[in-house]
Amino acid sequence: MTQKKILFFDIDGTLISEVNNEIPESTKNALKKAQENGHITIINTGRTRALVEPRLEDMGFDGYICGCGTYIEVNGKVLYHKSIEKNKYKEIINFLNENEMETIIEGEKAIFMDYDSKSKDVQAIIKNFEKRGFPMKPYTSDELYFDKFFATLKNSDKLENIVEYLENEGFDYIDRGSNNIEVVPKGHSKATGMEFLLNYFNLKKENSYAFGDSYNDTAMFEFCPNGVLMANGEKDLSKIVKFVTKDVDDDGIQYALQHFNIV
């Protein structure tokens, strides 16, 4: 019998096409077959749990690592959840505003944005997220909740000050390029979520596979001995993965799972 494997999947550019925003039927079929073959399928995403769409849930994943390792769920049971202390919310928002950062605050059940912002970019993001059906609320909501946040630096001269603040306040950040940073509580990443579930399922690291396409998958690839980069992904990540598969739109997930004899 084939040894049980645990498969970790990024969402955007990996499961979902960034060309047509669709999940290929080949991906759905391949993941179902992998489960039938006794393997475990896990979404491993920078998105918080609120942003895991119903169409992804309908695929029947065994679990979710969300918010860069801040939330872990298996078979409907929450195993781990780390959020930012509520007494820090006001201070963080004030700091972000003072340092000219356009920010998306991400919580377990909703995402929060500055609805009063005069920035055309911010208003465009709000409209786009609402169109996509994401649960949106303003900063002023009584339900404000931080698991992590995503910020765009409008003034790169402020970067040194921002980095110093984040490090002093117990945060890690991922440089997403183009003056974008993803901020999480210190010690959390896609890799820490993977390690947690390897221990939970009592599986060895060599039986783990990670599928991704972008720089926020770096920790996942560095941790996992069987990293799989989508051909549509960041080319220089090919140096730290085991296999480069086809584009998501060219049945890349199915191709990789067949390559590793998982399906």
Side-chain angles (χ1 to χ4, degrees):
M1 183 178 174
T2 304
Q3 266 193 323
K4 179 178 285 190
K5 310 290 196 305
I6 183 165
L7 318 173
F8 299 93
F9 297 90
D10 171 57
I11 295 178
D12 300 296
T14 302
L15 292 174
I16 298 178
S17 167
E18 294 193 320
V19 175
N20 59 23
N21 196 39
E22 297 293 332
I23 303 170
E25 286 300 314
S26 63
T27 296
K28 297 176 185 178
N29 295 334
L31 293 185
K32 184 178 179 181
K33 181 63 176 175
Q35 288 177 310
E36 289 172 353
N37 288 345
H39 306 302
I40 300 166
T41 62
I42 304 289
I43 280 182
N44 193 359
T45 180
R47 297 189 191 191
T48 54
R49 187 64 177 88
L51 303 187
V52 177
E53 304 159 63
R55 61 176 172 164
L56 290 164
E57 295 178 328
D58 290 344
M59 291 173 67
F61 285 90
D62 296 296
Y64 306 92
I65 299 169
C66 297
C68 295
T70 59
Y71 177 99
I72 303 173
E73 174 188 325
V74 170
N75 296 325
K77 180 181 179 182
V78 179
L79 303 179
Y80 180 82
H81 186 197
K82 172 68 175 179
S83 57
I84 298 168
E85 296 175 8
K86 290 189 176 183
N87 60 11
K88 288 282 187 183
Y89 291 179
K90 186 174 181 180
E91 175 193 322
I92 292 170
I93 290 174
N94 287 341
F95 175 83
L96 297 173
N97 289 337
E98 289 168 3
N99 284 273
E100 302 173 50
M101 299 173 76
E102 294 178 349
T103 310
I104 303 169
I105 295 169
E106 303 172 63
E108 177 194 356
K109 300 186 184 303
I111 53 178
F112 303 83
M113 293 189 66
D114 183 5
Y115 275 64
D116 295 326
S117 172
K118 294 184 170 36
S119 166
K120 292 181 179 179
D121 291 340
V122 170
Q123 292 301 329
I125 291 170
I126 291 172
K127 288 180 181 178
N128 178 45
F129 282 178
E130 288 178 337
K131 183 179 179 181
R132 293 172 69 179
F134 291 162
M136 300 285 299
K137 295 182 184 295
Y139 281 177
T140 52
S141 170
D142 292 335
E143 300 174 42
L144 181 65
Y145 203 89
F146 274 76
D147 281 355
K148 58 186 283 279
F149 58 93
F150 184 94
T152 300
L153 285 62
K154 305 309 289 184
N155 184 348
S156 56
D157 291 341
K158 304 265 188 182
L159 179 60
E160 186 175 341
N161 184 44
I162 291 164
V163 169
E164 182 180 1
Y165 173 81
L166 293 174
E167 290 177 346
N168 289 339
E169 293 300 321
F171 294 109
D172 287 332
Y173 75 95
I174 303 163
D175 185 348
R176 298 294 300 273
S178 302
N179 285 333
N180 294 310
I181 59 173
E182 195 164 8
V183 183
V184 298
K186 189 172 288 294
H188 292 80
S189 70
K190 289 186 174 186
T192 63
M194 294 171 71
E195 185 173 26
F196 183 101
L197 287 186
L198 283 172
N199 291 331
Y200 178 80
F201 287 110
N202 194 27
L203 291 172
K204 295 180 180 179
K205 188 188 286 190
E206 53 262 37
N207 288 326
S208 66
Y209 294 74
F211 301 76
D213 71 303
S214 68
Y215 291 123
N216 80 334
D217 296 314
T218 302
M220 187 166 70
F221 288 150
E222 290 177 338
F223 176 81
C224 181
N226 301 301
V228 178
L229 176 68
M230 310 304 293
N232 49 272
E234 301 291 348
K235 305 305 179 189
D236 51 336
L237 290 176
S238 63
K239 301 170 186 175
I240 59 170
V241 298
K242 189 168 188 177
F243 183 65
V244 178
T245 188
K246 297 179 181 180
D247 283 14
V248 58
D249 301 288
D250 192 24
D251 306 326
I253 294 296
Q254 180 185 65
Y255 183 74
L257 293 176
Q258 289 173 339
H259 171 81
F260 287 107
N261 295 316
I262 292 171
V263 301

